Amino acid sequence: MINSNACLDDTEVAIAAARAGADVVRALYGWRLTRTDKGAGDFATEADVDAEAAILGVIRAARPNDAVLGEEGGRQGAPDAERQWLVDPLCGTLNYAVGNMLVAVNVALVNGAAAVADPFSGEIFFTDGETARVRHDGCDARLTPTPATRLVDVNLDPPFPSAPGFRAVNLLAEPRLAERFRPRVVSTTLALAWVAAGKRAAYVTDGGDLTGSVHFAAGIALCRAAGCVVTGIDGSPTGQGARGLVVAADAETHQLLMSLIHSPGWNGSGESPRSDRNGRGAP
């Protein structure tokens, strides 16, 4: 039997793999699923494990010589493989487990194609590394970032390596943020795809260098290809030791967020340096 997946280019492999994972996530939605504790309040469900297996099945069939780093199964494949896929089979497990449909399936070839699937809208956001598109109902459309929504997602999941200098939760409470934007907390990297698609103006998260993360690699690749501004929270280029992410639809939005994060009037605690704990001006 001829394996049709072997005839696909890398972009179509990423799309097919993300779709396979999304099909599993959608099929198991609403079921009472066994959980595997990961510690620190984190866990995986049967949907995470089964979706990853489906994704790996597509990649192995199409690219048997490539290695895969999966959130659930770790690294698999030849130790000396020249290429590696990063797989997050269900980003937003905590959402999913309580019946919230805000989840994503992330598949990325390091320095190559990537796809982010929304199992419930049926959208698959993808890039070949140069352009970014969305596939829905068999049609492809170019992704066009825009700050028009003024919606900014801020990730509140730990770890918080930049605290106390930067605390995402305090950014949400910053009055100057509310003057220009409307903060949201989606709690899944689907929000990165939404920035590329113009459904969000920006996304902010703390963390280490996230370019090699199974959670973030696909979304970062998508946003870069769509023309978004992508840096660490310190403004440095991602992939060069940057911490966290500030991803914005345009340069103006990015600059506004960076000015808030690094404003002398915001010390990471949400308070002005010249105010006491009750908000009164210092004498």
Side-chain angles (χ1 to χ4, degrees):
M1 178 185 246
I2 297 175
N3 175 18
S4 59
N5 285 338
C7 301
L8 302 177
D9 63 21
D10 287 337
T11 306
E12 292 299 332
V13 171
I15 292 170
R19 179 182 288 118
D23 288 346
V24 172
V25 170
R26 187 170 55 254
L28 293 179
Y29 178 74
W31 288 67
R32 187 181 295 275
L33 302 174
T34 300
R35 299 185 182 187
T36 302
D37 182 44
K38 294 183 175 182
D42 194 14
F43 60 86
T45 69
E46 292 175 71
D48 296 75
V49 176
D50 291 355
E52 183 164 303
I55 293 168
L56 265 59
V58 172
I59 295 175
R60 285 170 177 160
R63 301 291 186 269
N65 296 322
D66 290 358
V68 177
L69 177 62
E71 180 183 12
E72 308 308 330
R75 195 180 193 279
Q76 302 179 47
D80 58 348
E82 295 182 359
R83 306 191 337 152
Q84 178 172 257
W85 296 81
L86 304 176
V87 174
D88 182 358
L90 177 49
C91 185
T93 299
L94 297 177
N95 287 345
Y96 184 80
V98 297
N100 187 316
M101 294 182 177
L102 292 175
V103 301
V105 176
N106 298 320
V107 178
L109 175 63
V110 175
N111 298 321
V116 177
D118 181 337
F120 299 104
S121 74
E123 296 169 306
I124 300 180
F125 307 89
F126 64 94
T127 177
D128 58 2
E130 296 181 1
T131 61
R133 301 180 182 276
V134 59
R135 181 168 297 176
H136 191 224
D137 291 335
C139 298
D140 293 353
R142 189 86 173 245
L143 294 180
T144 306
T146 172
T149 67
R150 299 174 62 209
L151 301 177
V152 175
D153 269 300
V154 180
N155 181 26
L156 301 181
D157 290 336
F160 308 117
S162 298
F166 171 78
R167 291 188 177 98
V169 67
N170 293 322
L171 182 61
L172 289 174
E174 169 58 58
R176 288 170 294 173
L177 181 73
E179 289 174 3
R180 298 299 300 266
F181 305 107
R182 291 293 176 265
R184 293 291 186 271
V185 180
V186 171
S187 298
T188 169
T189 52
L190 180 62
L192 275 172
W194 286 353
V195 178
K199 298 182 180 183
R200 290 289 191 270
Y203 176 88
V204 180
T205 184
D206 196 0
D209 187 342
L210 301 175
T211 51
S213 165
V214 296
H215 306 290
F216 290 92
I220 290 173
L222 193 70
C223 288
R224 283 175 171 166
C228 300
V229 181
V230 183
T231 71
I233 57 174
D234 61 353
S236 61
T238 55
Q240 299 181 25
R243 283 188 175 273
L245 285 172
V246 177
V247 179
D250 65 344
E252 180 182 4
T253 299
H254 184 269
Q255 181 56 43
L256 283 168
L257 288 170
M258 295 301 294
S259 67
L260 282 174
I261 292 170
H262 298 287
S263 169
W266 188 66
N267 63 4
S269 65
E271 301 172 350
S272 167
R274 292 187 54 80
S275 297
D276 65 18
R277 291 183 180 274
N278 295 317
R280 297 186 294 267

